[in-house]
Amino acid sequence: MRRYFFVFFVIFFLTSTKITFAQSSYVLPYPSAMPGSISYKSHILSEELQKYWYFGNFGQFYYNLKQSDKYLVEAKTLFEYKQYLLGYNALLKSNEYFIKINPFLIKAKIEGKDISEKSKILDMASQKHVEILVQIEKNTPIEFVWTPEKSSATKLLLRKSIDDSISVRQKNI
Amino acid sequence: MKKLLIYGYCCLLFFFSFFSYLFIDPGLLYLRNFYTGFFSENRLVVIILYTLFICLFFLTYYLFIKLVRSEKLPLKQIFLLIVANVSILLFSYPAILSFDIFNYIATAKVAFFYHENPYIVMPYEFIGDPLLLFMHAANKVALYAPFWTLLSAIPHLLGFNNFLITLFNLKFFISLFYVAGAFLVWKISKNIYSVVLFALNPLIVIETLVSSHNDIVMMFFALCAFFFAFKKKFILALLFLFFSIFIKYATIVLLPIFIYMLIKYKSGEKIDQQNIFLIAAFLMFIVFLFSFLREEIYPWYAIWFLTFISFLPKKKNLVVLSAALSFGLLLRYVPFMFLGTYFGLTPLIKVCVTVIPVFIVLAWSLISKYAKKYN
């Protein structure tokens, strides 16, 4: 009896097949951990480690684009919750990463790599970013004074910051 | 008679190497002069020839086992057969049954030529690379663990960016692990029957020396781990086990066995090698069965448990069943060779040809058991 069970078991696995379908297009990621949450520090650490894992010029292209996307989504979410200081910082970080993307593509081109597909991705990403930034701009005040409990107030030029972010991206379209 | 068998086997290896060149991909510009188109135009002839080759390989395997059991095949001659396997099949065309060798080359090229991370950047991103003309998994990141990628730097760097040199370097590199694996089987078991079960099993021979799958590398490091564990050098054993795991991950299931052996060793109890290898074979067989979850059960995955079954020559039923399964697994290629598609009837026929030899062996053993009982 055990033998038959074993044979049945083997046949079951030998006859099982898996068919997978894949679909892909340029989309922004879901919002990940937000500043203040417990897992946020681990995200920062992982971001630092990933910088070395994504070696190579194409690797750095993907890394910087991924981080720029992530911080843009983070900024959008924080602005929606009126967390302007945190949103402002996230937007600056997104810009910081975005600015680094193109130089890596140029380096790859110098190495003789074909960058046409990557340039298209960057173009699509830039368009998507601008679209999001325009949305954010509509619901954000021109400036905001952030007054923490035990320190001096900070004046945030939100509209200017968003406009700067848009112009950074428009250079790649 | 024995000499005739050995010479016949060498001829079989030679003709199989020759036969492999019928499968050259038309996109493989480096071997364009050898491309005949025979495979795509004469599918029926090709599957008849292939099946005949497989039958002859298993016939010679059976005869070698018979010779070993009657103590007529000394270790020296087994060694010569291993050398013949390596030296003749080294020149066979590797992509007759699988295109994995091109993936290994592409991964190494992404990492060590383009200096990109092959776990992030796919080969197809290097537009214009000649590898894209014939490799079949250009849209996948590296499928293997990092230690394999690191090892593949050796044949890549010694290939000096010449595809054909790199290809045959890689074949030779993998062959070295086959020879070293056979040596370790001998060192651990001190049994020439085990060496024959391992080194002359047609599935191991074809999948390792023709198709050059890295599974043999993973199993070599696993054998090293067992070798050191039996010598009670557990730090070295674990180190080699980790090397093995970081080739293709599958041997991670062996970790509990090493923990068990360490506990036994600490408590001063004796380790039963036969039991250990039986459990190892069973665990690797389970992983083999579950491999359909990732993609499908590929014939070369059988190397995982066949390696350990070779240490169990006394388990006659297991040896016969594993040989039948090896035979069935090598026949899995026939439906695609004939129909030229992975869809339609192909999956069903693949299953049938795999399980039928196992069924026949089971039925035969049951009939002979009952015949004995009633006699």
Side-chain angles (χ1 to χ4, degrees):
Chain A
M1 190 60 201
R2 266 188 293 173
R3 181 179 288 186
Y4 290 113
F5 178 74
F6 181 71
V7 170
F8 172 78
F9 185 69
V10 169
I11 291 165
F12 169 76
F13 279 98
L14 289 172
T15 51
S16 307
T17 50
K18 199 180 107 179
I19 299 166
T20 50
F21 298 97
Q23 197 180 29
S24 72
S25 60
Y26 190 85
V27 281
L28 286 173
Y30 281 115
S32 59
M34 289 291 141
S37 75
I38 302 164
S39 60
Y40 194 73
K41 277 185 182 167
S42 70
H43 276 255
I44 300 286
L45 180 69
S46 140
E47 186 184 315
E48 276 302 304
L49 295 174
Q50 281 186 45
K51 190 159 74 184
Y52 302 101
W53 177 242
Y54 281 72
F55 61 83
N57 290 321
F58 281 177
Q60 283 296 309
F61 164 81
Y62 284 126
Y63 173 76
N64 287 294
L65 185 58
K66 191 175 137 181
Q67 299 306 332
S68 180
D69 284 351
K70 189 184 88 176
Y71 280 110
L72 180 74
V73 172
E74 186 178 310
K76 181 178 181 280
T77 313
L78 290 165
F79 278 128
E80 279 167 4
Y81 282 89
K82 309 217 183 303
Q83 295 292 319
Y84 294 121
L85 180 64
L86 294 172
Y88 176 84
N89 288 338
L91 194 57
L92 289 184
K93 269 195 167 182
S94 176
N95 293 349
E96 217 173 276
Y97 281 114
F98 197 91
I99 291 163
K100 287 180 191 166
I101 301 169
N102 211 27
F104 283 111
L105 278 190
I106 293 164
K107 275 188 197 171
K109 197 178 179 181
I110 293 165
E111 281 177 354
K113 293 171 190 168
D114 188 320
I115 60 160
S116 54
E117 287 299 316
K118 303 278 176 295
S119 299
K120 276 183 206 165
I121 294 172
L122 183 57
D123 184 56
M124 280 160 65
S126 305
Q127 285 182 35
K128 188 76 185 173
H129 280 213
V130 171
E131 191 186 309
I132 298 295
L133 287 163
V134 170
Q135 264 181 41
I136 298 172
E137 200 170 31
K138 279 179 195 165
N139 305 312
T140 310
I142 296 169
E143 54 183 49
F144 182 78
V145 179
W146 182 262
T147 320
E149 280 178 21
K150 288 173 187 169
S151 55
S152 55
T154 315
K155 187 178 173 186
L156 303 171
L157 301 171
L158 296 177
R159 190 64 65 83
K160 187 185 177 295
S161 150
I162 295 168
D163 286 339
D164 289 347
S165 304
I166 291 172
S167 67
V168 161
R169 271 118 182 128
Q170 275 175 336
K171 281 178 194 164
N172 285 302
I173 300 175
Chain B
M1 183 64 191
K2 191 173 74 181
K3 267 190 176 177
L4 190 71
L5 177 65
I6 293 172
Y7 285 129
Y9 182 69
C10 290
C11 287
L12 181 65
L13 293 173
F14 176 78
F15 285 121
F16 193 73
S17 286
F18 183 77
F19 171 74
S20 68
Y21 280 86
L22 298 180
F23 290 79
I24 290 178
D25 193 290
L28 186 57
L29 53 111
Y30 305 101
L31 289 172
R32 195 179 279 157
N33 294 338
F34 291 92
Y35 176 71
T36 56
F38 186 87
F39 162 60
S40 49
E41 289 159 19
N42 304 279
R43 288 182 182 273
L44 186 64
V45 179
V46 166
I47 62 157
I48 291 169
L49 282 174
Y50 175 77
T51 312
L52 188 69
F53 273 119
I54 298 304
C55 292
L56 287 172
F57 268 115
F58 275 90
L59 178 68
T60 51
Y61 182 49
Y62 168 73
L63 293 173
F64 284 133
I65 287 173
K66 260 188 99 175
L67 280 176
V68 167
R69 293 183 76 170
S70 55
E71 294 178 359
K72 284 178 186 164
L73 196 66
L75 189 64
K76 199 178 161 186
Q77 282 177 339
I78 296 169
F79 175 73
L80 284 176
L81 284 169
I82 292 171
V83 171
N85 274 342
V86 171
S87 50
I88 299 172
L89 295 179
L90 176 67
F91 298 101
S92 59
Y93 174 66
I96 163 175
L97 305 170
S98 146
F99 300 94
D100 277 10
I101 193 163
F102 298 148
N103 297 345
Y104 304 155
I105 292 172
T107 301
K109 196 170 182 181
V110 170
F112 306 108
F113 178 76
Y114 290 116
H115 304 114
E116 296 286 351
N117 186 337
Y119 297 92
I120 290 160
V121 180
M122 291 177 256
Y124 88 90
E125 296 182 53
F126 301 100
I127 302 158
D129 192 299
L131 279 176
L132 301 180
L133 292 171
F134 51 87
M135 70 174 293
H136 287 230
N139 58 342
K140 286 180 182 171
V141 291
L143 299 165
Y144 308 100
F147 189 52
W148 169 250
T149 304
L150 206 62
L151 283 180
S152 67
I154 299 167
H156 170 80
L157 296 173
L158 293 174
F160 302 106
N161 288 328
N162 179 304
F163 175 79
L164 285 181
I165 298 174
T166 308
L167 183 81
F168 287 100
N169 268 348
L170 194 56
K171 285 203 76 175
F172 181 66
F173 184 65
I174 285 178
S175 302
L176 291 179
F177 285 96
Y178 161 79
V179 176
F183 176 72
L184 269 181
V185 171
W186 165 248
K187 285 291 280 181
I188 295 169
S189 67
K190 295 286 177 200
N191 185 341
I192 51 171
Y193 188 12
S194 292
V195 180
V196 168
L197 283 180
F198 172 79
L200 300 184
N201 180 309
L203 187 139
I204 294 181
V205 169
I206 292 171
E207 296 295 2
T208 300
L209 301 175
V210 178
S211 301
S212 299
H213 287 292
N214 62 1
D215 301 72
I216 200 76
V217 184
M218 178 178 77
M219 294 321 294
F220 165 76
F221 285 114
L223 285 178
C224 285
F226 278 104
F227 176 76
F228 286 114
F230 293 141
K231 288 202 171 291
K232 298 179 175 60
K233 292 176 180 171
F234 280 95
I235 294 172
L236 273 176
L238 285 175
L239 182 72
F240 278 100
L241 182 67
F242 282 116
F243 284 159
S244 174
I245 293 167
F246 284 101
I247 295 284
K248 212 175 177 176
Y249 306 118
T251 43
I252 196 163
V253 295
L254 299 176
L255 194 58
I257 297 180
F258 285 86
I259 295 166
Y260 168 77
M261 284 198 284
L262 187 62
I263 293 166
K264 280 264 183 188
Y265 168 65
K266 290 278 178 196
S267 59
E269 286 177 68
K270 213 181 159 194
I271 296 166
D272 183 347
Q273 284 195 15
Q274 291 288 297
N275 270 346
I276 291 292
F277 283 127
L278 185 64
I279 298 165
F282 177 74
L283 288 176
M284 293 313 288
F285 184 67
I286 295 295
V287 185
F288 164 81
L289 288 180
F290 273 96
S291 56
F292 80 91
L293 292 173
R294 198 176 74 90
E295 274 183 24
E296 69 163 277
I297 292 175
Y298 290 116
W300 55 91
Y301 291 173
I303 296 171
W304 306 346
F305 60 85
L306 287 174
T307 304
F308 295 123
I309 287 176
S310 66
F311 289 96
L312 308 164
K314 285 178 190 163
K315 305 246 178 237
K316 204 182 158 191
N317 285 341
L318 195 61
V319 169
V320 174
L321 269 175
S322 65
L325 185 59
S326 303
F327 180 73
L329 285 168
L330 281 175
L331 291 183
R332 275 175 88 85
Y333 296 111
V334 173
F336 175 75
M337 279 183 195
F338 186 61
L339 299 169
T341 173
Y342 292 108
F343 304 102
L345 278 176
T346 306
L348 181 70
I349 305 172
K350 271 162 95 173
V351 172
C352 293
V353 294
T354 310
V355 295
I356 285 171
V358 180
F359 267 134
I360 291 171
V361 167
L362 275 175
W364 173 75
S365 69
L366 275 177
I367 290 165
S368 53
K369 191 180 162 187
Y370 281 105
K372 266 185 197 170
K373 200 177 169 183
Y374 287 107
N375 281 340

